[in-house]
Amino acid sequence: LSKQTDHGERLQVTGNLTPEPLEATAAIALHNLQLATYTPYLQTFLTAPVAALAALEAKVAFSGGAVNLADGRLELQKIGTTFGGDDGVELARLTVAGVRFNGSQNRLDIDQVELADGSLALTQSTEGRLSCFNLLRAAAPADGGDAPAAAAPQEPSAPLHYQLGELAAQKLSVTFTDEVPKKPVRHQLNHIELSLQNLAGPETVSSPFRLRADYGRKGKLDLSGQVVTSSGALTLDSRLKGIALADFTPYLPDSVRLILADGSLNSHLKIALKPDPGGLQGSFAGDLAIHNFNCLDTEHQEELLRWNNLQLDGIRGELSPFALHIDGIALDDYAAKLVIDEASRLNLQSAFAAPPEQQEPAPPEPVEPVESAAETGPPAQISIDAITLQNGTVAFTDRHLQPAFATTMLHLGGRVGRISSSGEQPAEIDLRGNLENLSPLRISGQINPLVDPLFADIKISFSDIELSPITPYTGTYLGYVVDKGKLFLDLEYHIDQHKLQAQNRVLLDQFTFGEEVESEQAVNLPVRLAVALLKDRNGKIQLNIPVSGSLEDPEFSVASVIFKVLKNLLVKAATSPLSLLQAAFGGSEDFTAALFPLGSAELLPQEQEKLAKLAEMLQDRPALRLEIAGFADADQDPEAYRQTQLQRSLQTEYFLELVDQKENLPGQTATDMIISEEEYEDYLKRVYKRAEFPKPRNFFGFDKKLPAEEMEKLLLANTPAGPEQMATLAQQRAAAVVTFLTQQQGLPMERLFLLRPDLQKGPKEEGASGNRVEFGVVAQ
């Protein structure tokens, strides 16, 4: 039989037919089949036309009631259809070769399946339905009438035995849009190459496979292994490189209010999985790293946590019962920002707390008591051989105080030894750093946080802590500001079986109160008298405060015990005479001041030359100490400060836009942003829109559109630049001077003291501008 249609389709069938008994053999060849011309026939079960050019060849034999197929080959070219919208599939070529079917044995064999040069676009709707299913037309409802008679039971047919020699795909791309999260997510896989061999069943056969693809802008994945379809067992060698974590921000739970601004995942894991009636069994091993991580707090849109590199080496584990071992964890160049807001909430609580409407859930329904702890399975076994931290920064700000308090711990690094949930030898810990780049701190001892009850034997040492910055606390709770002073702490804490034994050794050097502060929370005790009484003739106060108690006692608190001891000291000091030792050394010829640009704490080169001469003078006079007082000009600094804050707001808007569009570079921050003159007005509008202050409105009650100069004027006018901001600016200027003298000129930290100046009176030098840091010299 030979037939050719007007569309160029060719059909040829040759063979033999025996009527009795019925037997037939045929060779079938079909070429240039245009699927699009058969759209009317396909519309009964497809919603969209399918375009393809098809060719089919096969040898068919019918004998003894069984159908056999040999030398089957199917080739489709220029395949294409749509799932709705922009979704659909396009494929240049699909070839199925070496098809054989033995009807008597119910066995299907295919030598090769090849796919090449194609793209697939899918969308998962908010209901979880994939758009590809839109291609299938819904089944028509059954007509009324008598119900069909029940079919007679049939003998179960033999299972289909199948084998696919090779599946090969190359030059494919997949775009998957997920609308399930509140903010839709788009995932892109390009340059897909897939290889699968010896896929068979129901026999137990291992089928090797490999999948390689590019993900997003810079990501790559390489998956290889073997799968057993009959049992579902899988062995996988997974290599991921440069997977952008920001793509997965929408998948974070509602209780995690964070923005993953940056970060890439690299990993090499080997995974073995095997389904089991008691649950999924499996193991995993490998390494994992996250580079250039940057995480923002959604509520305040401020940087919360970032690091350059987090490396997890030597990961090994089991799924059931769960066990995890890590040879080593290394974290370097990390920074965290802790903020207590005006409502006394920690930003970490806001970032990981449930939404307000979920913070008070309904009482849970009663449940049956657990009869045996064994039913929950054995506890997880977790161990980490070593943890290394390097070059860390932790910034702390307390805004619920007036004025606000801020400090920074720098260069935090060290090592934590092996920790384990099995109760082995506790880990050695040695962490070191600096407070405000000056005061060294060290944490050493032993700890095992993975055991219950907790064990810890820790020594904490803080040295050369400047006390003038803690004025917000002393003003609130003691009623006085701190003019100067340094704190040395040696703390020893031993925790075992819920019991605490602690020693708190405190040394205050040259601690001096300043003016009195009105505070309802201040203790009504003679704190000035106590300080004078406790000072020795060298101006030092030494205290040793032991603490002991049970951590299971809800009434026990380390802070309350220490406060009680200090309060007793203050009470005893009520009848003691005041003794204060002070030495002053003057010399106007040696007095210098460092000038700063208005509104800024940047130390200019010419001022660095002045400080170098001052440092040289102090090196020659070891008996002298330098007092440092920062100032702000009440008349000129506020306007320049407002200009600086406006520029930072514009840079933040620019950076957040890059983060939202996933165009920010690794390690980039808001301060790196450069806004051109053409972009200035656009970002100014955004800052103006975000700003919270009364704005001019139009007839309909919406914010009135204003020229750029008017928006800028209102933003500047509503930027706080009062005493609190100027006090902070003055502290920053003083800190810049201290950093230069210690790090650039080598002056010992113990020879420098920060003073809290009276900003209302201004600098000592009459007629001098306030944008400066002044120095005083005292004898040791």
Side-chain angles (χ1 to χ4, degrees):
L1 172 65
S2 180
K3 174 67 174 177
Q4 180 167 339
T5 69
D6 295 338
H7 305 292
E9 301 166 334
R10 299 193 308 275
L11 171 65
Q12 184 173 357
V13 181
T14 60
N16 296 299
L17 175 64
T18 302
E20 187 66 34
L22 180 60
E23 293 183 352
T25 60
I28 302 173
L30 177 62
H31 297 279
N32 296 328
L33 178 65
Q34 306 278 348
L35 288 186
T37 63
Y38 297 90
T39 296
Y41 301 101
L42 300 177
Q43 284 180 340
T44 57
F45 56 91
L46 296 181
T47 61
V50 177
L53 181 62
L56 172 66
E57 296 178 357
K59 294 180 180 179
V60 181
F62 179 82
S63 178
V67 177
N68 296 326
L69 177 69
D71 296 336
R73 177 182 177 86
L74 172 65
E75 184 171 338
L76 299 176
Q77 298 181 5
K78 300 179 180 179
I79 307 168
T81 188
T82 179
F83 308 146
D86 295 330
D87 288 356
V89 61
E90 293 182 357
L91 187 63
R93 178 170 55 86
L94 168 63
T95 302
V96 182
V99 181
R100 300 178 298 280
F101 178 73
N102 188 317
S104 60
Q105 299 178 4
N106 199 22
R107 180 177 182 84
L108 174 65
D109 291 275
I110 302 175
D111 290 342
Q112 189 177 47
V113 176
E114 288 187 88
L115 301 88
D117 295 324
S119 63
L120 172 65
L122 288 174
T123 297
Q124 180 174 227
S125 68
T126 54
E127 296 79 18
R129 177 181 171 85
L130 293 175
S131 60
C132 58
F133 292 111
N134 297 336
L135 182 61
L136 301 177
R137 192 177 298 278
D143 295 334
D146 296 336
Q154 298 181 354
E155 293 292 331
S157 60
L160 174 66
H161 293 256
Y162 63 91
Q163 182 175 22
L164 172 60
E166 180 182 13
L167 169 64
Q170 59 181 350
K171 297 181 180 180
L172 303 182
S173 65
V174 175
T175 301
F176 174 65
T177 303
D178 192 353
E179 296 180 345
V180 173
K182 292 182 179 179
K183 183 178 180 180
V185 189
R186 187 183 183 201
H187 302 283
Q188 182 75 41
L189 288 174
N190 294 317
H191 306 111
I192 299 175
E193 294 183 4
L194 173 64
S195 173
L196 174 63
Q197 297 176 339
N198 196 31
L199 182 66
E203 298 86 1
T204 301
V205 177
S206 293
S207 305
F209 67 90
R210 184 169 188 178
L211 171 65
R212 290 182 291 185
D214 295 342
Y215 173 80
R217 290 187 295 174
K218 298 181 179 180
K220 294 182 179 296
L221 58 90
D222 189 344
L223 310 178
S224 61
Q226 296 190 6
V227 62
V228 179
T229 56
S230 59
S231 64
L234 170 70
T235 59
L236 176 66
D237 189 323
S238 168
R239 297 174 184 265
L240 304 180
K241 182 178 180 180
I243 304 300
L245 297 180
D247 292 347
F248 301 91
T249 296
Y251 295 109
L252 295 176
D254 291 340
S255 59
V256 180
R257 285 171 275 177
L258 300 174
I259 299 175
L260 299 180
D262 198 359
S264 62
L265 170 67
N266 291 358
S267 68
H268 181 197
L269 295 175
K270 294 185 177 181
I271 302 170
L273 301 177
K274 182 179 180 181
D276 186 86
L280 185 65
Q281 301 289 326
S283 63
F284 53 90
D287 305 316
L288 183 149
I290 298 177
H291 303 295
N292 298 317
F293 182 82
N294 190 357
C295 177
L296 306 181
D297 175 9
T298 303
E299 183 173 351
H300 303 97
Q301 295 186 343
E302 295 179 335
E303 185 176 273
L304 182 66
L305 179 64
R306 64 177 172 85
W307 65 69
N308 180 48
N309 183 48
L310 171 64
Q311 185 76 35
L312 282 70
D313 293 326
I315 301 172
R316 302 186 298 278
E318 300 287 338
L319 293 183
S320 181
F322 184 79
L324 172 64
H325 175 83
I326 303 175
D327 288 345
I329 298 178
L331 177 64
D332 64 84
D333 288 335
Y334 62 95
K337 188 174 184 179
L338 304 179
V339 178
I340 298 177
D341 63 17
E342 292 78 2
S344 298
R345 296 178 305 167
L346 185 64
N347 59 345
L348 288 177
Q349 293 174 320
S350 301
F352 294 97
E357 63 271 12
Q358 299 181 12
Q359 289 183 354
E360 295 184 1
E365 296 182 0
V367 296
E368 294 294 329
V370 178
E371 295 182 359
S372 172
E375 295 179 0
T376 62
Q381 296 295 315
I382 302 174
S383 61
I384 304 172
D385 283 349
I387 301 174
T388 302
L389 306 175
Q390 187 265 330
N391 196 27
T393 300
V394 177
F396 173 75
T397 302
D398 191 343
R399 295 173 180 163
H400 98 282
L401 297 175
Q402 294 299 325
F405 170 76
T407 190
T408 305
M409 288 180 284
L410 302 171
H411 311 304
L412 292 176
R415 183 180 184 274
V416 179
R418 176 179 171 81
I419 59 176
S420 172
S421 59
S422 60
E424 302 173 4
Q425 182 72 20
E428 297 290 336
I429 180 173
D430 191 335
L431 302 176
R432 310 181 189 213
N434 298 87
L435 183 65
E436 290 290 356
N437 210 22
L438 304 173
S439 308
L441 62 91
R442 183 181 181 187
I443 301 174
S444 61
Q446 296 181 326
I447 190 170
N448 197 341
L450 299 181
V451 298
D452 187 17
L454 169 70
F455 174 84
D457 190 4
I458 301 296
K459 295 181 180 180
I460 305 173
S461 174
F462 288 85
S463 302
D464 286 308
I465 300 176
E466 289 286 354
L467 292 177
S468 58
I470 71 167
T471 284
Y473 288 104
T474 60
T476 300
Y477 300 112
L478 298 181
Y480 292 93
V481 302
V482 176
D483 274 350
K484 67 176 182 178
K486 287 194 175 185
L487 171 66
F488 298 78
L489 290 175
D490 286 304
L491 313 178
E492 297 181 9
Y493 284 78
H494 182 85
I495 301 174
D496 193 12
Q497 299 298 319
H498 302 292
K499 302 295 183 182
L500 170 68
Q501 295 288 336
Q503 291 287 337
N504 301 273
R505 286 179 286 273
V506 182
L507 171 63
L508 296 171
D509 187 12
Q510 307 301 319
F511 181 74
T512 306
F513 279 126
E515 63 184 13
E516 187 173 358
V517 176
E518 291 292 335
S519 173
E520 295 181 357
Q521 302 180 61
V523 295
N524 187 21
L525 293 170
V527 292
R528 281 182 173 273
L529 184 61
V531 170
L533 175 64
L534 296 172
K535 274 186 179 180
D536 61 19
R537 62 181 182 179
N538 295 318
K540 297 181 179 180
I541 300 174
Q542 299 189 55
L543 301 174
N544 190 358
I545 307 174
V547 176
S548 62
S550 172
L551 298 180
E552 296 180 309
D553 183 0
E555 301 297 325
F556 175 74
S557 168
V558 175
S560 63
V561 173
I562 295 176
F563 179 78
K564 183 178 180 180
V565 173
L566 295 176
K567 184 177 180 181
N568 290 338
L569 290 174
L570 295 175
V571 172
K572 292 179 181 179
T575 57
S576 300
L578 177 64
S579 173
L580 181 63
L581 299 177
Q582 275 187 316
F585 176 80
S588 58
E589 66 278 10
D590 294 326
F591 179 84
T592 60
L595 299 179
F596 287 80
L598 291 174
S600 171
E602 179 185 0
L603 194 59
L604 298 177
Q606 58 268 31
E607 302 306 315
Q608 294 180 17
E609 295 179 5
K610 293 181 182 179
L611 291 178
K613 295 178 181 179
L614 175 61
E616 183 180 357
M617 181 271 295
L618 291 175
Q619 294 285 10
D620 295 336
R621 296 168 176 79
L624 299 181
R625 293 183 177 183
L626 183 68
E627 293 183 337
I628 301 170
F631 291 91
D633 194 297
D635 296 325
Q636 301 182 72
D637 267 325
E639 182 59 24
Y641 176 84
R642 292 186 178 97
Q643 293 283 355
T644 300
Q645 297 303 308
L646 175 58
Q647 181 63 25
R648 290 178 180 174
S649 297
L650 294 171
Q651 291 174 315
T652 300
E653 281 295 330
Y654 191 3
F655 181 65
L656 289 174
E657 181 185 47
L658 293 182
V659 169
D660 185 63
Q661 298 176 359
K662 302 180 181 64
E663 295 180 357
N664 53 307
L665 300 177
Q668 201 174 39
T669 63
T671 56
D672 300 324
M673 300 298 101
I674 299 176
I675 299 175
S676 65
E677 294 181 1
E678 294 79 10
E679 297 171 323
Y680 180 80
E681 184 170 350
D682 179 45
Y683 291 107
L684 182 67
K685 290 178 181 178
R686 301 185 191 186
V687 172
Y688 179 82
K689 182 178 181 180
R690 190 186 295 275
E692 296 182 1
F693 57 81
K695 302 172 185 175
R697 297 182 179 273
N698 58 24
F699 176 80
F700 299 98
F702 298 104
D703 289 349
K704 185 178 180 181
K705 293 183 178 179
L706 298 176
E709 58 271 16
E710 293 298 321
M711 289 188 291
E712 181 177 300
K713 187 184 302 181
L714 290 176
L715 286 169
L716 292 174
N718 286 276
T719 299
E724 178 182 340
Q725 289 74 26
M726 293 301 99
T728 301
L729 180 59
Q731 292 176 3
Q732 293 172 344
R733 288 168 171 170
V737 170
V738 171
T739 300
F740 178 82
L741 291 175
T742 56
Q743 296 187 0
Q744 302 295 325
Q745 301 301 316
L747 281 178
M749 290 183 294
E750 60 266 23
R751 298 187 63 187
L752 306 177
F753 285 89
L754 290 172
L755 301 183
R756 182 185 181 277
D758 188 340
L759 297 179
Q760 294 183 349
K761 293 182 180 179
K764 297 178 181 179
E765 184 177 348
E766 185 175 356
S769 60
N771 52 319
R772 59 172 52 208
V773 170
E774 291 185 345
F775 309 105
V777 179
V778 296
Q780 185 174 357

